[in-house]
Amino acid sequence: MDFRPTEDQLALQESIRRFAAARLDTDLPERDRAGVFSRKLWEECAALGIQGLPLPVEYGGQGADVLTTSLAMEALGEACRDGGLVFSLNAHLWSAAMPLLEFGSERQKSRWLPGMCDGSIVAVHAITEPAAGSDAMALTTSARKDGAMYVLDGTKHFITNAPEADLFIVFATVDRAQGWAGVTAFLVPRDTAGLSVGPGVDKLGLRTSPTGEVVLRDCRVPDRYLLGAPGAGMMVFEYAMRLERACIMASAVGMMRRQLDECLAHTIGRHQFGQPIADFQAVSHTLADMKVRLEAASLLSRHAAWLADRRELEALDASVTKLHVSEAYVRSSLDALQLHGGHGYMTESGIDRDLRDAIGSRIYSGTSQMQRDIIAGRLRMPSTASGS
Ligand SMILES: Cc1cc2nc3c(=O)[nH]c(=O)nc-3n(C[C@H](O)[C@H](O)[C@H](O)COP(=O)(O)OP(=O)(O)OC[C@H]3O[C@@H](n4cnc5c(N)ncnc54)[C@H](O)[C@@H]3O)c2cc1C
């Protein structure tokens, strides 16, 4: 068991940190206030190879494994303060590109993956509906077979990247009576007649990541746009969620590392009552708690990515990782704000942005309550109760 990243992984992290610090935070307070996604920065990330990190070289990717990609996204989270951009990149990678790589036909992969690597295609994963959120398999978007076509009808909402997207992975049911066994995944290009995308919705955090509604009305796609077999949507969804829950929080680990560094510098430099505030036990213990949360989050996140590379990642591991890291991220963001006092509360510090971004992590990719449900359910299975 070797916990050290390789020299190549450390070098990749360093190059991403340098790139992010130099290029990605331009105009951030303004873009955050206005809720604006930057396609230009998206393209710059693609030019560095970020969107293609875990995708095979033959499709324009970097051919990195999941652990290396996860370490790279950790470094991105550490150096890039634009949490919305980082979130959009993660959603594109884990919930769209990787499921397409896993379940797509050769024709689908060669059609879409090169653009998803080079930044020309933004992709989304669209399952949530107004009446089907945590209970995602209760979706009502229908897919009716009509000759060699499927006709999609329904509405998806809260979809990350939708306002900018070029390709939609849409989940619909071919037969509601079959429940989850009727759920099927489709690839729907943006220019398909019958697909429309609402304007971006305003939100508390992750404001530079666009979120929107997707409406399908008599939207016709050919059979060959099925992602996987009819009725295999649950498998596609579970694969995407396992990977996303395991890996999307790696960037939060990087953000927590930056928060701790900044809190240390601040509390050592800030004097009250004639001494650095870091010398007060109440402050130093908060720093210690932040460190413990960070180390646990880092180990969980790297272990989950390592399991994914071995194709041994189970829903239990993914949910434990997602739950712990997202809750730790929110608590450390609150601590960071508290340790900065009034300055932390002022918008100009940017510390509020980390907290606003962090809160979303308890909801997207399945809420914290749902992660606890999954974990508790797995604990009742004798073979997985104690883990390994
Ligand atoms: C920033 C952001 C990005 C998102 N991006 C996407 C995306 O790209 N694609 C996509 O398809 N969706 C996306 N979503 C939607 C997200 O997956 C859902 O918001 C989430 O699954 C919760 O569903 P809901 O909002 O309908 O809440 P509900 O399911 O209505 O839940 C409301 C509350 O009830 C609780 N609850 C519900 N059922 C149970 C239960 N059985 N036990 C205990 N508590 C329960 C929940 O935990 C929550 O606290 C995104 C959401 C956010 C906030």
Side-chain angles (χ1 to χ4, degrees), residues 145-214:
K145 189 97 170 81
D146 183 16
M149 308 289 281
Y150 279 91
V151 187
L152 305 180
D153 277 288
T155 299
K156 303 291 181 183
H157 77 166
F158 303 157
I159 308 304
T160 300
N161 292 342
E164 282 291 323
D166 307 284
L167 178 66
F168 298 77
I169 299 181
V170 171
F171 292 83
T173 175
V174 292
D175 181 0
R176 277 194 74 183
Q178 288 191 48
W180 62 263
V183 174
T184 305
F186 295 87
L187 295 175
V188 187
R190 180 161 196 130
D191 57 7
T192 309
L195 179 141
S196 59
V197 181
V201 290
D202 211 7
K203 41 188 200 309
L204 176 71
L206 301 169
R207 293 176 55 77
T208 57
S209 168
T211 310
E213 185 179 71
V214 181

Side-chain angles (χ1 to χ4, degrees), residues 112-134:
W112 296 107
L113 290 179
M116 289 169 76
C117 293
D118 71 19
S120 59
I121 292 172
V122 176
V124 309
H125 173 106
I127 189 157
T128 305
E129 300 180 356
S134 298

Side-chain angles (χ1 to χ4, degrees), residues 126-294:
I127 189 157
T128 305
E129 300 180 356
S134 298
D135 189 7
M137 288 296 134
L139 59 82
T140 58
T141 295
S142 59
R144 179 172 54 82
K145 189 97 170 81
D146 183 16
M149 308 289 281
Y150 279 91
V151 187
L152 305 180
D153 277 288
T155 299
K156 303 291 181 183
H157 77 166
F158 303 157
I159 308 304
T160 300
N161 292 342
E164 282 291 323
D166 307 284
L167 178 66
F168 298 77
I169 299 181
V170 171
F171 292 83
T173 175
V174 292
D175 181 0
R176 277 194 74 183
Q178 288 191 48
W180 62 263
V183 174
T184 305
F186 295 87
L187 295 175
V188 187
R190 180 161 196 130
D191 57 7
T192 309
L195 179 141
S196 59
V197 181
V201 290
D202 211 7
K203 41 188 200 309
L204 176 71
L206 301 169
R207 293 176 55 77
T208 57
S209 168
T211 310
E213 185 179 71
V214 181
V215 179
L216 305 130
R217 289 281 170 268
D218 200 24
C219 177
R220 292 169 173 269
V221 290
D223 287 356
R224 66 176 190 280
Y225 284 18
L226 273 168
L227 181 61
M234 171 82 161
M235 215 160 58
V236 178
F237 175 67
E238 287 217 333
Y239 173 84
M241 285 303 102
R242 251 200 329 266
L243 204 52
E244 183 174 81
R245 287 169 187 160
C247 300
I248 200 166
M249 301 312 297
S251 298
V253 171
M255 288 162 190
M256 288 165 68
R257 186 162 288 125
R258 165 166 49 80
Q259 280 175 337
L260 179 56
D261 288 347
E262 290 176 351
C263 285
L264 255 179
H266 174 74
T267 55
I268 291 169
R270 171 78 176 164
H271 286 67
Q272 290 291 283
F273 301 96
Q275 65 183 76
I277 58 172
D279 288 352
F280 295 113
Q281 193 181 58
V283 170
S284 65
H285 282 192
T286 302
L287 292 166
D289 286 345
M290 291 174 78
K291 173 68 174 167
V292 172
R293 272 181 227 125
L294 166 63

Side-chain angles (χ1 to χ4, degrees), residues 98-116:
M98 293 299 277
L100 179 45
L101 176 68
E102 179 75 10
F103 295 98
S105 65
E106 194 44 52
R107 184 173 172 176
Q108 290 169 338
K109 290 192 276 194
S110 28
R111 165 68 186 89
W112 296 107
L113 290 179
M116 289 169 76

